Amino acid sequence: IVNIDCRKISHWEIQAIAGAVARELMTLRQQKRIPPLVFSIDEAHMFIPSFGDSPASPVIRELIRMGRHIGIGLILITQNPMDIDKRTIKLTNTRFIFAIEQDQLDHLKGVFSDTPREIIAGLPKLETGTCLLTGSRESIRHSIILKVRKRETTHGGETPSMVSK
């Protein structure tokens, strides 16, 4: 696991780094120079915004479309789904939706698959560690409520800095 700490660089630089890293991983994977992997992006709304694009947007959309074919899984994490481009959300095959505010829920219309309205209405009140699993018909046949177990491994390791000290 490599975690890149981008706290001390600008918003635009973070977007450029995410796009460059995604593009480089796709190239290396297509050339079979690296093994299959999972690329995770926290605060995804910064990279695929609902209005306009970032330097990373086209690359991330391409990774969503093509990544599984070349052995790259992509995890997009946000607390603000209404700040993510709707087309991009619909491209994803699997979604874990934890408790979110009602206004955020309204933005996710069309991605709930066969989830009953009562469950969707209850999403803002889900308890910690519980989520709705939904996705495209190819990946998730029916939506389901899941309880995510607590972490069993220990935390540790250094986070490489993207800025020299």
Side-chain angles (χ1 to χ4, degrees), residues 13-120:
E13 290 169 317
I14 292 169
Q15 293 171 339
I17 288 169
V21 168
R23 173 66 64 211
E24 187 66 18
L25 290 173
M26 285 192 302
T27 300
L28 292 171
R29 186 64 201 125
Q30 286 169 330
Q31 297 170 353
K32 306 243 188 269
R33 293 175 55 196
I34 59 174
L37 62 107
V38 175
F39 184 48
S40 175
I41 301 175
D42 196 7
E43 304 297 344
H45 54 275
M46 291 174 39
F47 306 100
I48 41 176
S50 58
F51 297 103
D53 269 343
S54 80
S57 297
V59 182
I60 292 171
R61 283 189 199 100
E62 182 181 349
L63 186 54
I64 292 169
R65 285 188 203 95
M66 301 304 296
R68 64 191 171 102
H69 300 294
I70 61 173
I72 299 178
L74 178 63
I75 299 172
L76 300 173
I77 304 163
T78 186
Q79 294 178 3
N80 304 302
M82 70 185 215
D83 293 337
I84 291 182
D85 173 54
K86 270 190 175 186
R87 295 168 302 153
T88 303
I89 292 173
K90 290 180 180 180
L91 283 174
T92 59
N93 285 335
T94 308
R95 301 169 201 101
F96 294 88
I97 304 169
F98 290 82
I100 57 175
E101 297 299 324
Q102 186 65 44
D103 64 333
Q104 299 289 329
L105 262 180
D106 294 340
H107 187 73
L108 294 175
K109 286 181 181 164
V111 301
F112 289 114
S113 182
D114 62 348
T115 308
R117 286 186 208 171
E118 303 78 45
I119 291 178
I120 295 170

Side-chain angles (χ1 to χ4, degrees), residues 146-162:
L146 294 178
K147 181 77 172 167
V148 180
R149 71 166 169 76
K150 290 190 180 215
R151 178 184 177 153
E152 295 175 355
T153 58
T154 57
H155 179 72
E158 291 293 317
T159 300
S161 175
M162 290 303 291

